[in-house]
Amino acid sequence: MSGTVTVVSSNGAYSFTKPNRDSVTLLAGLGVEGDVHAGVTVKHRSRVAQDPTQPNLRQVHLIHEELFDELHEAGFEVAPGDLGENVTTRGIDLLGLPVGTLLHLGDEAVVEVTGLRNPCLQIDNFRGGLLKQVVGRDEAGNVVRKAGIMGIVATGGTVRPGDPVKVELPAAPHRPLDRV
């Protein structure tokens, strides 16, 4: 399974959206260099308030570009970086990957998948009604989160639009993604 990096984004200040960049540098064990969410411990404001010593399992946020196509069809104009992701991909079912999957981005960087992004009300502040598009329920009533996945940087390196993404699945049995 493989795909492509289409956009990379980062922001050194707390903001819902992140500006697109020509490249981002991933730092092993930390996250995206210069990004407000980089660090060994949690950086997301609500999680810091709960327990600032928690490990940061949300160093890198990835979203599949196909989500933006789906949102466009539903009448929402959302572009890469708008939902705060660091890496936008195309051609990979990110939401279907198991915990522990290694994503090889470009020549060097490797991100270990830790779980699903748990979207919050800030999404509706960005675009009214958008939260219902990225969080819903399946036919069995289970919550379905579509706002991307989170990971930690296993191996650092520079990531650019156009870089290949190679998926390395963990040994079985696979654990499905849950919110982190």
Side-chain angles (χ1 to χ4, degrees):
M1 188 181 334
S2 63
T4 306
V5 172
T6 58
V7 178
V8 293
S9 310
S10 67
N11 198 341
Y14 279 105
S15 171
F16 185 72
T17 62
K18 294 187 178 185
N20 300 156
R21 309 285 183 193
D22 292 333
S23 67
V24 293
T25 300
L26 303 186
L27 304 173
L30 294 173
V32 179
E33 182 177 47
D35 192 80
V36 71
H37 292 105
V40 174
T41 56
V42 293
K43 300 301 175 196
H44 193 272
R45 288 177 173 170
S46 66
R47 291 170 190 261
V48 169
Q50 291 173 355
D51 177 4
T53 66
Q54 294 177 69
N56 188 2
L57 301 178
R58 301 165 54 102
Q59 294 175 354
V60 181
H61 177 197
L62 301 98
I63 285 185
H64 52 295
E65 192 171 50
E66 291 85 352
L67 175 63
F68 301 126
D69 299 338
E70 182 182 321
L71 294 174
H72 179 75
E73 289 177 19
F76 292 88
E77 291 303 318
V78 182
D82 283 353
L83 298 181
E85 74 278 8
N86 301 111
V87 178
T88 308
T89 66
R90 184 166 281 282
I92 297 173
D93 177 13
L94 295 177
L95 304 177
L97 298 173
V99 172
T101 297
L102 298 178
L103 298 175
H104 297 262
L105 307 172
D107 294 331
E108 300 173 300
V110 180
V111 172
E112 180 181 340
V113 176
T114 56
L116 296 168
R117 176 188 184 186
N118 190 30
C120 64
L121 288 175
Q122 287 184 346
I123 289 179
D124 269 349
N125 294 336
F126 174 70
R127 297 273 191 280
L130 187 56
L131 184 60
K132 286 184 179 181
Q133 298 296 316
V134 297
V135 179
R137 295 202 178 266
D138 65 15
E139 293 171 5
N142 300 309
V143 174
V144 176
R145 294 171 178 86
K146 300 190 283 185
I149 63 172
M150 308 305 286
I152 58 173
V153 181
T155 305
T158 301
V159 181
R160 296 175 181 84
D163 279 350
V165 179
K166 184 181 131 218
V167 175
E168 182 182 342
L169 295 174
H174 294 159
R175 286 188 310 138
L177 297 177
D178 198 3
R179 63 189 172 108
V180 292

